[in-house]
Amino acid sequence: MRNTLTALGGALLSLGLLAGPASAELNQLNLKVVGTWGNLSNWKVNEQPFWDKTMPEASGGKITANAVPQTDVGIKGFEVVRMLKIGVFDVAHGVVGYIAGEDPIVEGVDLAGVIQNWDDAKASMDAYRPIIAKQFEETYGAKLMALYPFPSQMLWCNADVNNAEDLAGKKVRVYTTSMGDLIEGLNATSVTIAFAEVVPALEKKVVDCGITGTMPAYQAKWWQIATHAYLMKVGYTATFAAINLTTWNRMNDETKAFFEKQYAEFEKTAWANTMAEDEMGIICNTGVGGTCTEGDPGGMKKVEPSAADDAKRKQILENVVLKRWAERCVEKFGEKCIDDWNATIGKVAGVTAPKP
């Protein structure tokens, strides 16, 4: 009988039906968690399942959460990290770009026009992680747990845009300072508009174009208004997951190790999921290159940047984007922030931020 019970217990453990010794050592936690936009894939595919399913199951029910997207609680992107710092939330998932305006070091992880492919996007975020982690602890009272992307950021225009020169004089929705620098370098006007307000702004010609990711543009129905998909890669929208330091410091060592392990797996999954849907976002917005798996395809004209367009991007990157960012960073933090960036992301991308 004893052998039978032992075998049964082993089987139940293998099925996750009994909590093992590790879960018995975990703190009992019910956390307040805010995620990204509820209508987009990062929340629906990555963040919500992580909190609703993965964490409770892996912890044997010890770690649960009241997890909601920022759209459900009515806060804006720049408010997420502030509320994390003061303890409104124990854990936050948010876009780095929304806090970049007040913190050039954090801004450095995703400067517009720098990274042009997925391998470099992953390598650059990994290289810069210690720098941004230190900044999160010292400035925002938070422990950085993960860095992951949204799909590649491109321009979606309700205007006849067939090359970089056609952007001159256009009004373009941006959401980071360096995006504004890139757009101004293209002789266009940058306009800051909340993500949820872009479709009516495009429709009313408040803006001619907007920058967002490939699949977010489709999921937010930009394709119903925009006519041209201009596929200049602006960035990869570095997204953070962080835990309030007071919450973190209350955890025992076993719980901290558990969080680090689970978030390492979360990060791998988030990168894989986002990379897989990136090209599908273009297909769904344009109806070109395959069958949209997400619903009815849009009919935007697909415009690939030419060699001349790419040369212009590089020129603006070096003469405007990096120069302005370097001035902001040195003014607030000194020249070390430029040295750190050049030794990490600059090295990955093969570009150098100048010292003012």
Side-chain angles (χ1 to χ4, degrees):
M1 174 65 73
R2 182 176 181 179
N3 288 339
T4 301
L5 290 174
T6 300
L8 178 59
L12 291 173
L13 279 170
S14 70
L15 292 172
L17 297 179
L18 291 178
S23 64
E25 296 165 355
L26 298 178
N27 293 129
Q28 185 84 42
L29 299 171
N30 181 252
L31 302 172
K32 296 169 292 183
V33 179
V34 65
T36 54
W37 293 268
N39 60 325
L40 303 182
S41 293
N42 254 337
W43 168 257
K44 293 190 289 186
V45 177
N46 299 316
E47 298 155 12
Q48 184 179 32
F50 180 73
W51 286 106
D52 285 358
K53 181 175 172 63
T54 302
M55 290 296 275
E57 291 184 358
S59 66
K62 284 290 190 74
I63 296 172
T64 58
N66 176 21
V68 293
Q70 66 177 56
T71 39
D72 279 14
V73 290
I75 61 174
K76 300 184 184 299
F78 69 87
E79 296 175 308
V80 169
V81 74
R82 296 177 187 177
M83 291 188 174
L84 175 67
K85 182 176 182 177
I86 64 175
V88 174
F89 300 110
D90 297 298
V91 185
H93 295 247
V95 171
V96 167
Y98 283 105
I99 58 175
E102 59 190 39
D103 192 331
I105 288 179
V106 173
E107 181 186 10
V109 76
D110 192 27
L111 295 176
V114 174
I115 301 300
Q116 295 295 296
N117 62 69
W118 280 107
D119 288 344
D120 285 354
K122 184 67 168 68
S124 66
M125 288 192 207
D126 286 346
Y128 205 66
R129 185 190 303 266
I131 296 164
I132 199 170
K134 181 174 182 286
Q135 195 70 358
F136 261 61
E137 288 203 19
E138 294 179 353
T139 304
Y140 305 108
K143 171 76 172 176
L144 182 69
M145 301 304 297
L147 283 173
Y148 56 106
F150 271 84
S152 53
Q153 306 293 291
M154 299 177 182
L155 289 100
W156 315 91
C157 300
N158 187 19
D160 192 19
V161 174
N162 296 292
N163 52 57
E165 299 295 331
D166 287 343
L167 287 165
K170 301 290 191 296
K171 293 170 290 186
V172 182
R173 177 262 182 175
V174 303
Y175 59 88
T176 72
T177 305
S178 68
M179 282 183 184
D181 294 338
L182 179 68
I183 292 305
E184 289 169 19
L186 289 163
N187 298 314
T189 300
S190 63
V191 182
T192 302
I193 296 176
F195 182 74
E197 298 169 8
V198 175
V199 169
L202 285 168
E203 187 173 22
K204 296 173 183 176
K205 290 291 186 177
V206 174
V207 294
D208 301 292
C209 306
I211 296 174
T212 195
T214 58
M215 188 57 77
Y218 178 77
Q219 291 171 330
K221 303 187 186 304
W222 289 22
W223 53 275
Q224 293 184 349
I225 302 299
T227 58
H228 287 60
Y230 180 59
L231 307 184
M232 175 184 281
K233 291 186 178 178
V234 177
Y236 289 82
T237 307
T239 305
F240 66 86
I243 299 176
N244 173 279
L245 270 182
T246 300
T247 301
W248 176 256
N249 289 334
R250 287 173 179 161
M251 298 180 191
N252 63 26
D253 289 343
E254 292 81 5
T255 306
K256 289 177 179 178
F258 174 80
F259 267 87
E260 287 171 339
K261 179 181 178 182
Q262 295 302 320
Y263 259 121
E265 291 302 316
F266 167 88
E267 189 174 280
K268 290 178 186 177
T269 301
W271 275 90
N273 289 341
T274 301
M275 290 169 67
E277 78 170 16
D278 191 46
E279 183 63 28
M280 183 54 64
I282 297 174
I283 292 170
C284 288
N285 279 302
T286 64
V288 176
T291 301
C292 177
T293 59
E294 304 301 308
D296 295 332
M300 288 191 215
K301 180 180 179 180
K302 182 180 177 181
V303 181
E304 296 279 3
S306 66
D309 289 345
D310 196 52
K312 190 170 184 67
R313 174 194 60 81
K314 292 177 182 177
Q315 179 188 23
I316 295 168
L317 173 62
E318 293 174 359
N319 297 331
V320 182
V321 176
L322 290 178
K323 183 178 179 181
R324 290 184 181 179
W325 172 77
E327 290 171 351
R328 293 192 294 272
C329 207
V330 168
E331 180 181 3
K332 193 163 186 177
F333 297 106
E335 291 188 352
K336 186 178 184 300
C337 68
I338 307 301
D339 294 333
D340 288 343
W341 192 90
N342 285 332
T344 54
I345 295 177
K347 187 175 181 180
V348 170
V351 295
T352 300
K355 291 185 178 180

